[in-house]
């Protein structure tokens, strides 16, 4: 028998990513989320779950930083202080 719950998600970027794991764990335990409420990042995660886009967001959010951000940044010298010989 499925358990139905109402889920409340808090704010904070890192906590928002933890919410994804909580939602996945609830699904594994056969819990049906009847209603969802969130603040800030929790609201974003809740909305993505409600419209069925949570998996797409998770895939996009877990792209290694070197692949997603660094190509957009200008090339910077690897040595900030030049050494004298």
């Amino acid at each position: 028998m499925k358990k139905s719950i109402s889920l409340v998600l808090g704010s904070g970027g890192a906590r928002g990513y933890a919410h994804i794991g909580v939602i996945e764990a609830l699904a594994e335990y056969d819990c049906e989320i009847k209603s969802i409420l969130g603040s800030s990042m929790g609201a974003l995660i809740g909305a993505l779950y409600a419209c069925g886009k949570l998996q797409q967001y998770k895939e996009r959010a877990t792209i290694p930083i070197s692949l997603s951000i660094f190509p957009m940044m200008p090339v910077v010298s690897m040595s900030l202080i030049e050494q004298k010989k």
Side-chain angles (χ1 to χ4, degrees):
M1 181 175 155
K2 275 194 169 191
K3 300 173 192 170
S4 64
I5 63 167
S6 294
L7 187 61
V8 179
L9 305 174
S11 61
R15 186 178 294 146
Y17 295 114
H19 292 327
I20 296 171
V22 170
I23 291 170
E24 291 172 342
L26 289 170
E28 286 179 22
Y29 284 98
D30 207 26
C31 292
E32 180 183 15
I33 300 173
K34 287 292 214 176
S35 61
I36 192 162
L37 173 82
S39 173
S40 191
M41 187 63 157
L44 173 65
I45 298 300
L48 290 167
Y49 171 78
C51 68
K53 302 287 186 184
L54 190 58
Q55 187 59 36
Q56 287 176 322
Y57 177 76
K58 181 181 171 184
E59 291 168 5
R60 176 69 179 145
T62 57
I63 293 173
I65 194 166
S66 61
L67 297 176
S68 63
I69 293 176
F70 289 134
M72 296 181 278
M73 299 175 74
V75 176
V76 180
S77 172
M78 296 303 279
S79 174
L80 299 176
I81 301 172
E82 292 190 27
Q83 298 176 354
K84 292 183 181 181
K85 292 185 181 182

PDB file of all heavy atoms in Angstrom, residues 52-74:
ATOM      1  N   GLY A  52       7.577  17.056 -13.597  1.00  0.00           N
ATOM      2  CA  GLY A  52       8.246  15.898 -14.183  1.00  0.00           C
ATOM      3  C   GLY A  52       9.599  16.178 -14.808  1.00  0.00           C
ATOM      4  O   GLY A  52      10.077  15.415 -15.639  1.00  0.00           O
ATOM      5  N   LYS A  53      10.244  17.255 -14.423  1.00  0.00           N
ATOM      6  CA  LYS A  53      11.535  17.631 -15.015  1.00  0.00           C
ATOM      7  C   LYS A  53      12.707  17.483 -14.054  1.00  0.00           C
ATOM      8  O   LYS A  53      13.810  17.930 -14.345  1.00  0.00           O
ATOM      9  CB  LYS A  53      11.483  19.104 -15.481  1.00  0.00           C
ATOM     10  CG  LYS A  53      10.404  19.408 -16.475  1.00  0.00           C
ATOM     11  CD  LYS A  53      10.730  18.833 -17.817  1.00  0.00           C
ATOM     12  CE  LYS A  53       9.700  19.266 -18.849  1.00  0.00           C
ATOM     13  NZ  LYS A  53       9.926  18.671 -20.134  1.00  0.00           N
ATOM     14  N   LEU A  54      12.500  16.824 -12.918  1.00  0.00           N
ATOM     15  CA  LEU A  54      13.557  16.721 -11.915  1.00  0.00           C
ATOM     16  C   LEU A  54      14.761  15.946 -12.434  1.00  0.00           C
ATOM     17  O   LEU A  54      15.905  16.333 -12.199  1.00  0.00           O
ATOM     18  CB  LEU A  54      13.018  16.077 -10.635  1.00  0.00           C
ATOM     19  CG  LEU A  54      13.937  16.123  -9.433  1.00  0.00           C
ATOM     20  CD1 LEU A  54      14.316  17.555  -9.074  1.00  0.00           C
ATOM     21  CD2 LEU A  54      13.285  15.451  -8.243  1.00  0.00           C
ATOM     22  N   GLN A  55      14.546  14.868 -13.152  1.00  0.00           N
ATOM     23  CA  GLN A  55      15.662  14.063 -13.676  1.00  0.00           C
ATOM     24  C   GLN A  55      16.496  14.869 -14.669  1.00  0.00           C
ATOM     25  O   GLN A  55      17.725  14.819 -14.635  1.00  0.00           O
ATOM     26  CB  GLN A  55      15.145  12.781 -14.331  1.00  0.00           C
ATOM     27  CG  GLN A  55      16.248  11.826 -14.751  1.00  0.00           C
ATOM     28  CD  GLN A  55      17.131  11.366 -13.603  1.00  0.00           C
ATOM     29  OE1 GLN A  55      16.675  11.157 -12.484  1.00  0.00           O
ATOM     30  NE2 GLN A  55      18.415  11.218 -13.865  1.00  0.00           N
ATOM     31  N   GLN A  56      15.853  15.641 -15.534  1.00  0.00           N
ATOM     32  CA  GLN A  56      16.597  16.475 -16.491  1.00  0.00           C
ATOM     33  C   GLN A  56      17.441  17.506 -15.745  1.00  0.00           C
ATOM     34  O   GLN A  56      18.588  17.761 -16.110  1.00  0.00           O
ATOM     35  CB  GLN A  56      15.637  17.191 -17.438  1.00  0.00           C
ATOM     36  CG  GLN A  56      15.016  16.263 -18.452  1.00  0.00           C
ATOM     37  CD  GLN A  56      13.997  17.001 -19.309  1.00  0.00           C
ATOM     38  OE1 GLN A  56      13.268  17.861 -18.822  1.00  0.00           O
ATOM     39  NE2 GLN A  56      13.945  16.656 -20.577  1.00  0.00           N
ATOM     40  N   TYR A  57      16.869  18.112 -14.707  1.00  0.00           N
ATOM     41  CA  TYR A  57      17.612  19.096 -13.922  1.00  0.00           C
ATOM     42  C   TYR A  57      18.802  18.437 -13.235  1.00  0.00           C
ATOM     43  O   TYR A  57      19.899  18.979 -13.222  1.00  0.00           O
ATOM     44  CB  TYR A  57      16.705  19.759 -12.879  1.00  0.00           C
ATOM     45  CG  TYR A  57      17.445  20.728 -12.001  1.00  0.00           C
ATOM     46  CD1 TYR A  57      17.795  21.984 -12.484  1.00  0.00           C
ATOM     47  CD2 TYR A  57      17.825  20.385 -10.712  1.00  0.00           C
ATOM     48  CE1 TYR A  57      18.497  22.876 -11.693  1.00  0.00           C
ATOM     49  CE2 TYR A  57      18.522  21.267  -9.917  1.00  0.00           C
ATOM     50  CZ  TYR A  57      18.847  22.511 -10.416  1.00  0.00           C
ATOM     51  OH  TYR A  57      19.553  23.384  -9.627  1.00  0.00           O
ATOM     52  N   LYS A  58      18.571  17.252 -12.672  1.00  0.00           N
ATOM     53  CA  LYS A  58      19.644  16.535 -11.988  1.00  0.00           C
ATOM     54  C   LYS A  58      20.798  16.235 -12.944  1.00  0.00           C
ATOM     55  O   LYS A  58      21.957  16.417 -12.604  1.00  0.00           O
ATOM     56  CB  LYS A  58      19.103  15.240 -11.387  1.00  0.00           C
ATOM     57  CG  LYS A  58      20.129  14.448 -10.630  1.00  0.00           C
ATOM     58  CD  LYS A  58      19.524  13.170 -10.095  1.00  0.00           C
ATOM     59  CE  LYS A  58      20.602  12.277  -9.523  1.00  0.00           C
ATOM     60  NZ  LYS A  58      20.077  10.993  -9.084  1.00  0.00           N
ATOM     61  N   GLU A  59      20.483  15.798 -14.139  1.00  0.00           N
ATOM     62  CA  GLU A  59      21.523  15.511 -15.127  1.00  0.00           C
ATOM     63  C   GLU A  59      22.293  16.771 -15.490  1.00  0.00           C
ATOM     64  O   GLU A  59      23.512  16.755 -15.624  1.00  0.00           O
ATOM     65  CB  GLU A  59      20.900  14.879 -16.368  1.00  0.00           C
ATOM     66  CG  GLU A  59      20.383  13.481 -16.124  1.00  0.00           C
ATOM     67  CD  GLU A  59      19.507  12.951 -17.238  1.00  0.00           C
ATOM     68  OE1 GLU A  59      19.352  13.644 -18.282  1.00  0.00           O
ATOM     69  OE2 GLU A  59      18.957  11.855 -17.073  1.00  0.00           O
ATOM     70  N   ARG A  60      21.609  17.874 -15.647  1.00  0.00           N
ATOM     71  CA  ARG A  60      22.259  19.141 -16.012  1.00  0.00           C
ATOM     72  C   ARG A  60      23.098  19.685 -14.856  1.00  0.00           C
ATOM     73  O   ARG A  60      24.195  20.203 -15.064  1.00  0.00           O
ATOM     74  CB  ARG A  60      21.190  20.162 -16.420  1.00  0.00           C
ATOM     75  CG  ARG A  60      21.712  21.528 -16.722  1.00  0.00           C
ATOM     76  CD  ARG A  60      22.529  21.539 -17.985  1.00  0.00           C
ATOM     77  NE  ARG A  60      22.973  22.897 -18.234  1.00  0.00           N
ATOM     78  CZ  ARG A  60      24.133  23.199 -18.775  1.00  0.00           C
ATOM     79  NH1 ARG A  60      24.935  22.260 -19.170  1.00  0.00           N
ATOM     80  NH2 ARG A  60      24.474  24.434 -18.952  1.00  0.00           N
ATOM     81  N   ALA A  61      22.587  19.544 -13.647  1.00  0.00           N
ATOM     82  CA  ALA A  61      23.269  20.107 -12.479  1.00  0.00           C
ATOM     83  C   ALA A  61      24.499  19.311 -12.088  1.00  0.00           C
ATOM     84  O   ALA A  61      25.369  19.826 -11.390  1.00  0.00           O
ATOM     85  CB  ALA A  61      22.308  20.185 -11.306  1.00  0.00           C
ATOM     86  N   THR A  62      24.608  18.076 -12.532  1.00  0.00           N
ATOM     87  CA  THR A  62      25.749  17.247 -12.138  1.00  0.00           C
ATOM     88  C   THR A  62      26.812  17.133 -13.218  1.00  0.00           C
ATOM     89  O   THR A  62      27.718  16.320 -13.108  1.00  0.00           O
ATOM     90  CB  THR A  62      25.283  15.839 -11.715  1.00  0.00           C
ATOM     91  OG1 THR A  62      24.557  15.254 -12.789  1.00  0.00           O
ATOM     92  CG2 THR A  62      24.426  15.886 -10.475  1.00  0.00           C
ATOM     93  N   ILE A  63      26.743  17.962 -14.249  1.00  0.00           N
ATOM     94  CA  ILE A  63      27.811  18.003 -15.255  1.00  0.00           C
ATOM     95  C   ILE A  63      29.067  18.532 -14.557  1.00  0.00           C
ATOM     96  O   ILE A  63      28.992  19.501 -13.816  1.00  0.00           O
ATOM     97  CB  ILE A  63      27.433  18.939 -16.431  1.00  0.00           C
ATOM     98  CG1 ILE A  63      26.273  18.350 -17.212  1.00  0.00           C
ATOM     99  CG2 ILE A  63      28.624  19.175 -17.346  1.00  0.00           C
ATOM    100  CD1 ILE A  63      25.742  19.280 -18.279  1.00  0.00           C
ATOM    101  N   PRO A  64      30.206  17.896 -14.750  1.00  0.00           N
ATOM    102  CA  PRO A  64      31.436  18.387 -14.100  1.00  0.00           C
ATOM    103  C   PRO A  64      31.664  19.871 -14.384  1.00  0.00           C
ATOM    104  O   PRO A  64      31.436  20.340 -15.497  1.00  0.00           O
ATOM    105  CB  PRO A  64      32.542  17.534 -14.725  1.00  0.00           C
ATOM    106  CG  PRO A  64      31.845  16.287 -15.176  1.00  0.00           C
ATOM    107  CD  PRO A  64      30.453  16.728 -15.571  1.00  0.00           C
ATOM    108  N   ILE A  65      32.105  20.579 -13.376  1.00  0.00           N
ATOM    109  CA  ILE A  65      32.271  22.031 -13.486  1.00  0.00           C
ATOM    110  C   ILE A  65      33.217  22.407 -14.623  1.00  0.00           C
ATOM    111  O   ILE A  65      33.017  23.414 -15.285  1.00  0.00           O
ATOM    112  CB  ILE A  65      32.726  22.632 -12.145  1.00  0.00           C
ATOM    113  CG1 ILE A  65      32.570  24.144 -12.160  1.00  0.00           C
ATOM    114  CG2 ILE A  65      34.141  22.230 -11.813  1.00  0.00           C
ATOM    115  CD1 ILE A  65      32.662  24.791 -10.817  1.00  0.00           C
ATOM    116  N   SER A  66      34.219  21.599 -14.893  1.00  0.00           N
ATOM    117  CA  SER A  66      35.169  21.929 -15.957  1.00  0.00           C
ATOM    118  C   SER A  66      34.492  21.902 -17.326  1.00  0.00           C
ATOM    119  O   SER A  66      34.915  22.597 -18.236  1.00  0.00           O
ATOM    120  CB  SER A  66      36.350  20.970 -15.943  1.00  0.00           C
ATOM    121  OG  SER A  66      35.903  19.649 -16.166  1.00  0.00           O
ATOM    122  N   LEU A  67      33.445  21.115 -17.466  1.00  0.00           N
ATOM    123  CA  LEU A  67      32.749  21.040 -18.746  1.00  0.00           C
ATOM    124  C   LEU A  67      31.665  22.101 -18.887  1.00  0.00           C
ATOM    125  O   LEU A  67      31.359  22.532 -19.981  1.00  0.00           O
ATOM    126  CB  LEU A  67      32.105  19.659 -18.910  1.00  0.00           C
ATOM    127  CG  LEU A  67      33.063  18.478 -18.952  1.00  0.00           C
ATOM    128  CD1 LEU A  67      32.278  17.179 -19.027  1.00  0.00           C
ATOM    129  CD2 LEU A  67      34.012  18.588 -20.121  1.00  0.00           C
ATOM    130  N   SER A  68      31.078  22.527 -17.773  1.00  0.00           N
ATOM    131  CA  SER A  68      29.946  23.429 -17.881  1.00  0.00           C
ATOM    132  C   SER A  68      30.288  24.904 -17.703  1.00  0.00           C
ATOM    133  O   SER A  68      29.636  25.751 -18.265  1.00  0.00           O
ATOM    134  CB  SER A  68      28.875  23.044 -16.855  1.00  0.00           C
ATOM    135  OG  SER A  68      29.377  23.186 -15.548  1.00  0.00           O
ATOM    136  N   ILE A  69      31.322  25.210 -16.920  1.00  0.00           N
ATOM    137  CA  ILE A  69      31.608  26.615 -16.621  1.00  0.00           C
ATOM    138  C   ILE A  69      32.892  27.107 -17.264  1.00  0.00           C
ATOM    139  O   ILE A  69      32.930  28.169 -17.865  1.00  0.00           O
ATOM    140  CB  ILE A  69      31.674  26.833 -15.099  1.00  0.00           C
ATOM    141  CG1 ILE A  69      30.299  26.611 -14.491  1.00  0.00           C
ATOM    142  CG2 ILE A  69      32.178  28.227 -14.769  1.00  0.00           C
ATOM    143  CD1 ILE A  69      30.272  26.717 -12.998  1.00  0.00           C
ATOM    144  N   PHE A  70      33.975  26.345 -17.174  1.00  0.00           N
ATOM    145  CA  PHE A  70      35.263  26.839 -17.619  1.00  0.00           C
ATOM    146  C   PHE A  70      35.342  27.230 -19.095  1.00  0.00           C
ATOM    147  O   PHE A  70      36.027  28.184 -19.421  1.00  0.00           O
ATOM    148  CB  PHE A  70      36.380  25.870 -17.245  1.00  0.00           C
ATOM    149  CG  PHE A  70      36.660  25.842 -15.766  1.00  0.00           C
ATOM    150  CD1 PHE A  70      36.807  24.650 -15.097  1.00  0.00           C
ATOM    151  CD2 PHE A  70      36.760  27.012 -15.043  1.00  0.00           C
ATOM    152  CE1 PHE A  70      37.053  24.625 -13.732  1.00  0.00           C
ATOM    153  CE2 PHE A  70      37.001  27.010 -13.685  1.00  0.00           C
ATOM    154  CZ  PHE A  70      37.148  25.814 -13.027  1.00  0.00           C
ATOM    155  N   PRO A  71      34.660  26.552 -20.009  1.00  0.00           N
ATOM    156  CA  PRO A  71      34.738  27.012 -21.400  1.00  0.00           C
ATOM    157  C   PRO A  71      34.201  28.431 -21.599  1.00  0.00           C
ATOM    158  O   PRO A  71      34.552  29.102 -22.552  1.00  0.00           O
ATOM    159  CB  PRO A  71      33.889  25.997 -22.153  1.00  0.00           C
ATOM    160  CG  PRO A  71      33.955  24.769 -21.326  1.00  0.00           C
ATOM    161  CD  PRO A  71      33.989  25.266 -19.909  1.00  0.00           C
ATOM    162  N   MET A  72      33.370  28.908 -20.685  1.00  0.00           N
ATOM    163  CA  MET A  72      32.807  30.250 -20.808  1.00  0.00           C
ATOM    164  C   MET A  72      33.722  31.311 -20.215  1.00  0.00           C
ATOM    165  O   MET A  72      33.506  32.494 -20.385  1.00  0.00           O
ATOM    166  CB  MET A  72      31.444  30.307 -20.106  1.00  0.00           C
ATOM    167  CG  MET A  72      30.412  29.416 -20.749  1.00  0.00           C
ATOM    168  SD  MET A  72      28.823  29.537 -19.926  1.00  0.00           S
ATOM    169  CE  MET A  72      29.069  28.432 -18.554  1.00  0.00           C
ATOM    170  N   MET A  73      34.760  30.880 -19.486  1.00  0.00           N
ATOM    171  CA  MET A  73      35.651  31.825 -18.823  1.00  0.00           C
ATOM    172  C   MET A  73      36.865  32.125 -19.700  1.00  0.00           C
ATOM    173  O   MET A  73      37.326  31.261 -20.430  1.00  0.00           O
ATOM    174  CB  MET A  73      36.108  31.242 -17.483  1.00  0.00           C
ATOM    175  CG  MET A  73      34.958  30.981 -16.522  1.00  0.00           C
ATOM    176  SD  MET A  73      35.498  30.159 -15.014  1.00  0.00           S
ATOM    177  CE  MET A  73      36.301  31.495 -14.184  1.00  0.00           C
ATOM    178  N   PRO A  74      37.392  33.347 -19.620  1.00  0.00           N
ATOM    179  CA  PRO A  74      38.593  33.665 -20.399  1.00  0.00           C
ATOM    180  C   PRO A  74      39.795  32.890 -19.863  1.00  0.00           C
ATOM    181  O   PRO A  74      39.834  32.505 -18.703  1.00  0.00           O
ATOM    182  CB  PRO A  74      38.765  35.166 -20.175  1.00  0.00           C
ATOM    183  CG  PRO A  74      38.051  35.454 -18.915  1.00  0.00           C
ATOM    184  CD  PRO A  74      36.920  34.464 -18.834  1.00  0.00           C
TER     185      PRO A  74
END
